[in-house]
Amino acid sequence: MSGDLLDDRYQVESRLGAGGMSVVWRAWDRVLERAVAVKVLAGAQAAAGGARQRIQAEARAAAGLWHPHVTSVYDYGEHTDAAGRHVSYVVMELLPGQTLSQRLAAGPLPPAAAMRTCAQVAEALAAAHERSLVHRDIKPSNVMLTPAGVKVVDFGLATTVGRPELEADGKLLGTAAYLAPERLAAGTVVPASDVYALGLLLYRTLTNELPWSAETPTQMLTAHVYVDPAPLPDIEGVSPEVHRLLDRCLARDPADRPDAAEVATALHDLTDDAERRVEQAAQRVEQAAQPAPEPTPTDAGTPASRGRRIPRAVLIPAVIATAATISLILSQFTPVDGRSGGAATRDSAAPPGAAFDTSATEPPAPRQTSAEPAPMPRPSRTLTAAAEPAGPTAGAGSSASGGPTTSPSAGQPTVPPSAAPLPASPKPGTPLRALGGVVTVLCTGDQAHVVNVAPAPGYSLRDYAPGPVKEIQVVLLSAANKSEIRARCEDGTPVPKIRESRR
């Protein structure tokens, strides 16, 4: 495919990602002279008439749905290559950034960022539902994080309200971890199914987990129907109103769920409230940290009327960590990730006579446990929320490269005596999380110091530049993966760049 010229217009350049049914390529539009993304059917799907109709329907659905949080579709075409093979393709805008799935490889989002992200997804869904269009495959890998905000991608499974859920061949299309229970009843398509998946997306972005302990797609399908979701754990910055909204989104009866427009409005309001509380807390800390008043020469017996305002760089670690993590969301361009899945067998949760199509499945995010996986619980509500993990639990990041340097001993090193001394009153620093572990960074002006490195289980420290330097670099390795953590200081706050790759 690379090097092909589609219809004398789109010069295919390089592969960006692949899923169960299609491959996405970077291409150059010779007519409008711009880079675009071209999605083509893959393998046996390319010759299937039903698949060609589906990709054409995807192009029409997305093209007719203009919204700032929906990826734009430019063109649809059918091409016959030199070998006589027929290729159906969709031309879309080429999005910079990374998928939410890739971002979650570094851990859950800060509460305000998680709520803002899901609010923008809800806006996109509300626009689709106004046109009687249901996405049916909302999940982290179909949400792009770009400099312009969220973009919902892949309308390949979208269809109109009221159509049968089952395809003509008896298949139920979707991703097992995000399927609403009514979809498994093989009824008709309803917008509330997207709201259910949106609730799971919000839970995932806040915790990097799903609210069930399920190891297989079959167990997950059963959980949707018979097992109550575990309540959202208490998270600093997440108000009780967020918990109540999430419970409504995950209601088993679709009639009990809010519509997408209501969710969007509520999440935007809750995000504004959360950001306002953080700012108020920061102001209180600033005021409390002001030095004691000093007498002035003209008023020796009266306290000075004003204290000196401390720099914002010494605010509470939670405020600094929030800003640093939000900046991580859009810190790098990574390929659009594909979709993966395993075989799913039918059980009592699946509709009679339905075969689950695994082409759009992705592995569920595992809940953190300290013991062997427990068997599926009975229908009664027995699950409890697991503690927030110390590091990321799922996902994959973009590739990175870097040569080895002198390696210190593994463990949890601190700044060596040869490095410049830290301030007399040390500040706690900002933790930066990656798959390979947690690096705590302290900024003094534009100089960065590594305060501590805590490798994740199975990882060891490879490269380590403690500072003070303009940019710190820490490399953590496992048998199969590599985490590279870099950070610079801007206005006293570390701005990280985290890259994950296979060894």
Side-chain angles (χ1 to χ4, degrees):
M1 191 74 187
S2 179
D4 286 357
L5 181 63
L6 303 179
D7 293 329
D8 295 323
R9 177 171 180 176
Y10 303 107
Q11 183 70 54
V12 179
E13 295 178 346
S14 59
R15 177 167 165 160
L16 295 175
M21 296 174 55
S22 60
V23 179
V24 179
W25 298 83
R26 178 187 176 95
W28 180 254
D29 183 347
R30 288 185 168 185
V31 175
L32 298 181
E33 296 186 344
R34 63 181 176 181
V36 295
V38 174
K39 178 178 179 178
V40 301
L41 294 174
Q45 298 289 341
R52 289 201 301 272
Q53 292 175 359
R54 190 175 297 125
I55 196 171
Q56 186 179 54
E58 173 187 2
R60 287 173 175 168
L65 181 62
W66 185 92
H67 192 273
H69 298 308
V70 175
T71 185
S72 297
V73 169
Y74 300 144
D75 196 6
Y76 168 82
E78 296 184 359
H79 171 74
T80 302
D81 64 15
R85 291 173 300 213
H86 187 81
V87 177
S88 300
Y89 64 90
V90 177
V91 182
M92 303 173 290
E93 63 176 321
L94 184 64
L95 297 172
Q98 60 182 337
T99 67
L100 178 58
S101 178
Q102 290 168 331
R103 165 58 185 86
L104 288 171
L109 274 63
M115 289 186 285
R116 185 74 74 191
T117 295
C118 291
Q120 293 178 359
V121 174
E123 287 184 64
L125 291 177
H129 296 169
E130 285 182 1
R131 298 177 61 88
S132 296
L133 189 67
V134 180
H135 188 281
R136 296 202 300 175
D137 201 22
I138 293 297
K139 58 185 177 182
S141 59
N142 281 341
V143 175
M144 285 290 297
L145 305 173
T146 79
V150 162
K151 291 278 191 177
V152 175
V153 302
D154 199 345
F155 280 75
L157 303 187
T159 191
T160 53
V161 175
R163 290 189 54 129
E165 277 287 1
L166 295 183
E167 299 295 298
D169 56 5
K171 290 183 179 180
L172 178 65
L173 303 179
T175 301
Y178 296 87
L179 276 179
E182 67 273 9
R183 296 199 62 202
L184 297 167
T188 57
V189 173
V190 294
S193 300
D194 279 349
V195 176
Y196 181 86
L198 177 62
L200 292 174
L201 191 76
L202 177 59
Y203 194 105
R204 176 80 186 276
T205 57
L206 288 168
T207 66
N208 209 12
E209 298 177 349
L210 288 173
W212 296 283
S213 293
E215 302 298 327
T216 66
T218 301
Q219 289 179 343
M220 184 59 71
L221 295 176
T222 304
H224 288 303
V225 179
Y226 298 112
V227 182
D228 288 337
L232 183 70
D234 290 334
I235 301 172
E236 185 176 358
V238 178
S239 65
E241 288 81 2
V242 179
H243 289 247
R244 288 192 286 270
L245 179 64
L246 182 59
D247 289 342
R248 292 177 62 203
C249 291
L250 297 181
R252 188 165 287 127
D253 187 344
D256 293 335
R257 299 174 202 147
D259 60 32
E262 181 182 349
V263 176
T265 300
L267 284 177
H268 276 304
D269 290 343
L270 290 167
T271 304
D272 293 340
D273 290 343
E275 291 175 340
R276 190 178 305 112
R277 287 194 297 271
V278 170
E279 181 62 27
Q280 290 171 349
Q283 292 173 355
R284 288 194 295 270
V285 171
E286 282 188 281
Q287 294 168 0
Q290 290 178 0
E294 300 174 357
T296 62
T298 58
D299 191 8
T302 303
S305 60
R306 292 177 298 184
R308 288 172 296 174
R309 188 178 181 90
I310 63 169
R312 187 165 293 273
V314 299
L315 295 183
I316 55 175
V319 179
I320 299 177
T322 300
T325 310
I326 292 175
S327 69
L328 168 62
I329 297 175
L330 303 176
S331 64
Q332 58 177 325
F333 171 81
T334 54
V336 176
D337 60 335
R339 297 172 294 179
S340 60
T345 59
R346 287 190 288 116
D347 60 6
S348 57
F356 187 76
D357 190 334
T358 61
S359 63
T361 59
E362 67 176 11
R367 294 184 57 78
Q368 294 293 301
T369 57
S370 56
E372 293 296 320
M376 276 298 295
R378 296 180 181 275
S380 60
R381 187 185 181 109
T382 58
L383 294 179
T384 57
E388 183 176 341
T393 60
S398 62
S399 62
S401 61
T405 60
T406 305
S407 303
S409 58
Q412 298 184 358
T414 57
V415 178
S418 59
L422 296 178
S425 298
K427 307 175 185 67
T430 300
L432 307 178
R433 300 180 183 275
L435 280 175
V438 180
V439 177
T440 303
V441 177
L442 176 66
C443 286
T444 53
D446 63 349
Q447 295 292 300
H449 309 253
V450 176
V451 177
N452 190 58
V453 180
Y459 281 78
S460 60
L461 187 60
R462 174 66 178 272
D463 292 340
Y464 178 45
V469 291
K470 288 287 187 181
E471 181 180 64
I472 62 100
Q473 174 184 347
V474 177
V475 176
L476 298 159
L477 301 176
S478 70
N481 300 308
K482 172 183 176 182
S483 292
E484 182 180 7
I485 303 159
R486 297 174 179 266
R488 300 175 64 88
C489 290
E490 294 182 5
D491 298 326
T493 299
V495 178
K497 292 183 180 179
I498 298 176
R499 295 179 179 178
E500 309 285 352
S501 60
R502 302 281 295 178
R503 295 187 63 186

